Amino acid sequence: MALIVQKFGGTSVGSVDRIQAVAQRICKTTQQGHSVVVVVSAMGKTTDMLVGLANQVSSTPSRREMDMLLSTGEQVSIALLSMALQECGQPAISLTGAQVGIVTETDHSRARILDIKTDRLQRHLQEGKAIVVAGFQGISNSKDLEITTLGRGGSDTSAVALAAALNADRCEIYTDVPGILTTDPRLVPDAQLMLEITCDEMLELASLGAKVLHPRAVELARNYSIPLLVLSSWSDTPGTLVIPPPKQGRSLQNLEISKAVDGVEFDKDQAKIALLRVPDRPGIAAKLFGEIASHSVDVDLIIQSIHEGNTNDIAFTTTKNDLKPAEAVAEAIAPILRFDNSPHSTEAEVFIDRHIAKVAIIGAGMIGRPGIAAKMFSTLADVGVNINMISTSEVQVSCTIRDEDCEKAIAALCSAFEVSSSSIAAAPKAPLDANAPPVRGVAIDRSQARLGIRHIPDRPGMAAQIFALLAQHRISVDTIVQSQRCQVIGGFASRDIACTIARADAPEAEKILTKVASDWGLGEIAIDTDIAKVSIVGAGMIGHPGVAAKMFAALAREQINIQMIATSEIKITCVVAESEGVKALKIIHEAFDLGGEGRIEIPA
């Protein structure tokens, strides 16, 4: 029969009654002939209580001592669950992360898993025991054998790492919702259960704030081809299957320290259309991309950066074959978008570039690792390649460059990240199946701020300098967009760059960039904390013109202005005012018919 790893979160083991219910569920699995390894979190609000105690004792408790303290929470739940299993007649043993042999970095409160020693686990499984493991924790690889914790989402990560190390048939994640939903049911009551989703789609949703699975856990499942089944610990609903890609034969050494980048992709069949100085008002993107979709033109990258005065730039790429119809649409719609239609008006100026190529780095390992984008930008700068457009997602950073620079860009990136390259055209991204919906889900992130950097000198290496500096201060950058408008300041060409970062990091980012702004020739450093990031995700949007237009039109109907746009193959992100974020989420969810009749009940 199968070897199954099951993970139960804090609410699932939040009381004696809940622990006994979980024990019954585990016994049901073992009675079917399966071997089970169980990972549990601390009971209920135990971790919060322990943090509160630490803060009463110390204003700045050390991370080492916090790891010693917080790791005790899981020890309570594993011992009680093991007792409950034994009471049911199921042989069981509880083990801490150290006893299991979960070996981590010595990086207290945010350690990554290096290796798992499975000898003891295998011995107990052969004895017919259910093994109950403390999630969220491990032991360092240093001679001092320090107790470490894995940080937020640590129990999910522990479970998937154990599944990979044991070559388990699947990993089941039990939570307080019935599976992966089309959006947050607390904000949109008619959110519906997805029966299946790909790992790539789940990575995007998890990184956008969908809290059912942590991105680190999904990254491991993707890298080691572990099927994930997300289920409710409160009911017997079928849950959601997260489908991984085929096995890649990765080493189990350095489980979470694997390469951040899996490959370099390129596409020479690209052309760019930009509309410069477009009036900044609701409905502009909807009109443009609605008309483009009506001509069945498939758009690849779309970017809209921070506004300059009351105007904005919108740029998009398409195949060279689609350039003529796309150009015709842009030229025809430009006059409609202008306030000023005088002969000398510079509003909504159409700019065409037929000589571009797209290069991209891809990899789930770049999530939460500052400096990956900076390394890409510096690698291109080192070989004299200037970046024209930047668009990012959680698992991909794409840049457009001059087509004549493509070969040396690919060679440099492959060397820097020690990976191989492939043509996007030769290996297209396929949806899960022919009937996959264009959009799987909608997510909102209200924990971010927008960082705008004006008048950056337009020369190779400037973006690399900026993002390397942020990475040095452990500031992770999410969405990055570079403006299309090139301005001449003091006789030198310059561009603007905008990105989103964690709101908590905004003051530090502003401080460190303001400090170097004069020496680096930068203009204003602007922070906006009044934003929300709303995104749609779906592998089925590939090859389906009109998905972006539908999203933009839904926002336009409610007069919600789009402040930034960034896209990848399976995600479209819009930044809007925070006050309009939840409203935007609801109308986009409705626009793609993701709701249903039933209501998902979330336990208190």
Side-chain angles (χ1 to χ4, degrees):
M1 300 297 281
L3 170 57
I4 301 171
V5 175
Q6 297 180 331
K7 179 263 176 177
F8 294 90
T11 55
S12 300
V13 292
S15 67
V16 169
D17 287 346
R18 291 303 307 152
I19 288 172
Q20 290 172 333
V22 166
Q24 291 294 333
R25 189 180 288 272
I26 296 166
C27 286
K28 192 175 176 181
T29 304
T30 59
Q31 286 163 6
Q32 293 169 351
H34 302 306
S35 298
V36 181
V37 175
V38 183
V39 176
V40 292
S41 302
M43 292 176 65
K45 301 292 184 181
T46 300
T47 302
D48 292 340
M49 181 268 290
L50 293 172
V51 170
L53 288 174
N55 290 332
Q56 290 177 46
V57 171
S58 170
S59 57
T60 54
S62 75
R63 290 196 297 161
R64 180 192 183 277
E65 299 309 326
M66 287 301 293
D67 278 3
M68 290 289 288
L69 176 65
L70 297 183
S71 64
T72 64
E74 281 73 20
Q75 290 187 49
V76 173
S77 51
I78 62 172
L80 291 174
L81 181 55
S82 185
M83 293 175 194
L85 285 167
Q86 291 166 7
E87 189 70 14
C88 296
Q90 170 60 49
I93 184 169
S94 64
L95 299 172
T96 65
Q99 289 173 314
V100 167
I102 298 176
V103 181
T104 74
E105 307 167 293
T106 310
D107 190 1
H108 290 291
S109 81
R110 56 190 178 208
R112 287 180 178 266
I113 298 172
L114 300 174
D115 189 20
I116 298 179
K117 311 295 184 184
T118 60
D119 294 352
R120 185 171 184 182
L121 291 170
Q122 297 285 10
R123 187 173 76 249
H124 290 314
L125 286 171
Q126 288 169 8
E127 293 167 352
K129 291 178 180 176
I131 306 170
V132 186
V133 179
F136 176 66
Q137 60 181 253
I139 192 164
S140 73
N141 63 340
S142 66
K143 64 180 181 180
D144 295 324
L145 301 177
E146 292 285 326
I147 291 176
T148 55
T149 63
L150 308 181
R152 182 171 165 263
S155 292
D156 285 356
T157 305
S158 299
V160 182
L162 282 164
L166 292 166
N167 195 26
D169 293 275
R170 66 177 179 271
C171 180
E172 299 176 351
I173 306 290
Y174 288 86
T175 181
D176 57 357
V177 293
I180 311 299
L181 305 179
T182 52
T183 194
D184 187 342
R186 297 169 182 86
L187 300 176
V188 184
D190 67 346
Q192 296 299 296
L193 176 70
M194 303 182 210
L195 293 180
E196 59 184 29
I197 186 172
T198 66
C199 265
D200 283 339
E201 290 170 320
M202 191 63 238
L203 268 172
E204 298 282 11
L205 285 173
S207 300
L208 290 166
K211 297 174 183 176
V212 178
L213 282 174
H214 194 273
R216 282 171 65 183
V218 185
E219 174 192 347
L220 278 170
R222 180 183 183 272
N223 288 345
Y224 292 96
S225 301
I226 304 297
L228 288 178
L229 190 57
V230 182
L231 299 154
S232 170
S233 59
W234 303 79
S235 70
D236 292 321
T237 50
T240 304
L241 178 63
V242 183
I243 301 175
K247 284 189 180 292
Q248 303 169 42
R250 284 176 178 264
S251 168
L252 290 170
Q253 295 296 316
N254 294 326
L255 268 166
E256 281 201 280
I257 316 294
S258 56
K259 290 179 181 177
V261 173
D262 292 327
V264 175
E265 292 186 341
F266 65 94
D267 188 356
K268 295 181 180 180
D269 184 22
Q270 293 263 304
K272 181 184 78 173
I273 299 177
L275 277 80
L276 309 181
R277 295 174 292 276
V278 176
D280 185 33
R281 64 175 188 266
I284 295 294
K287 284 181 183 177
L288 172 61
F289 291 102
E291 193 62 31
I292 287 171
S294 71
H295 288 74
S296 297
V297 173
D298 203 6
V299 171
D300 186 4
L301 298 180
I302 303 173
I303 65 166
Q304 176 183 304
S305 190
I306 48 177
H307 61 81
E308 180 79 24
N310 62 351
T311 65
N312 229 321
D313 301 337
I314 298 177
F316 62 94
T317 63
T318 187
T319 64
K320 288 181 168 67
N321 193 48
D322 278 340
L323 177 59
K324 279 192 176 180
E327 181 180 1
V329 169
E331 292 285 4
I333 204 170
I336 301 171
L337 304 181
R338 295 173 186 143
F339 282 131
D340 177 7
N341 271 306
S342 65
H344 302 294
S345 173
T346 60
E347 288 184 349
E349 176 188 355
V350 179
F351 174 77
I352 308 295
D353 190 347
R354 296 172 174 82
H355 303 291
I356 68 164
K358 182 175 78 172
V359 292
I361 55 172
I362 55 171
M366 65 179 73
I367 295 171
R369 296 187 191 180
I372 302 301
K375 184 175 180 178
M376 179 186 190
F377 302 154
S378 64
T379 299
L380 295 175
D382 288 345
V383 292
V385 175
N386 201 26
I387 298 168
N388 181 263
M389 290 171 69
I390 300 170
S391 189
T392 63
S393 78
E394 278 64 20
V395 295
Q396 182 167 319
V397 181
S398 300
C399 299
T400 64
I401 58 176
R402 302 296 298 168
D403 55 4
E404 64 194 30
D405 291 333
C406 189
E407 299 300 331
K408 66 179 178 181
I410 294 165
L413 291 171
C414 287
S415 175
F417 291 104
E418 300 179 348
V419 294
S420 59
S421 69
S422 66
S423 166
I424 291 172
K429 303 282 194 309
L432 186 62
D433 58 57
N435 299 314
V439 175
R440 291 267 187 202
V442 188
I444 184 170
D445 189 343
R446 293 178 286 176
S447 65
Q448 298 217 324
R450 183 178 63 201
L451 168 63
I453 310 160
R454 303 282 190 184
H455 307 150
I456 301 167
D458 187 31
R459 62 175 183 264
M462 287 309 302
Q465 273 185 262
I466 290 166
F467 292 109
L469 180 62
L470 293 174
Q472 286 167 19
H473 289 77
R474 298 188 70 89
I475 295 175
S476 289
V477 174
D478 189 4
T479 304
I480 304 172
V481 174
Q482 179 173 273
S483 70
Q484 292 308 289
R485 198 182 318 179
C486 198
Q487 301 183 68
V488 177
I489 307 291
F492 296 98
S494 68
R495 294 183 189 268
D496 301 336
I497 287 182
C499 61
T500 57
I501 58 177
R503 195 170 292 173
D505 288 335
E508 177 71 3
E510 183 178 26
K511 178 183 173 183
I512 61 177
L513 287 173
T514 300
K515 195 173 179 179
V516 300
S518 178
D519 290 342
W520 290 5
L522 308 180
E524 177 191 10
I525 310 298
I527 295 286
D528 185 359
T529 57
D530 182 29
I531 67 161
K533 193 172 73 170
V534 184
S535 304
I536 56 175
V537 172
M541 68 175 68
I542 300 168
H544 283 77
V547 175
K550 193 171 186 177
M551 180 183 188
F552 303 154
L555 295 174
R557 282 194 297 273
E558 297 296 325
Q559 292 295 297
I560 296 176
N561 198 34
I562 300 171
Q563 300 180 13
M564 282 173 63
I565 300 170
T567 66
S568 71
E569 280 85 352
I570 65 170
K571 186 189 76 168
I572 301 170
T573 293
C574 293
V575 171
V576 300
E578 184 181 21
S579 60
E580 297 181 314
V582 174
K583 181 180 178 182
L585 180 78
K586 290 178 177 178
I587 62 173
I588 293 169
H589 190 265
E590 182 180 356
F592 287 99
D593 298 318
L594 296 176
E597 294 296 323
R599 296 290 188 269
I600 303 297
E601 296 295 329
I602 305 298

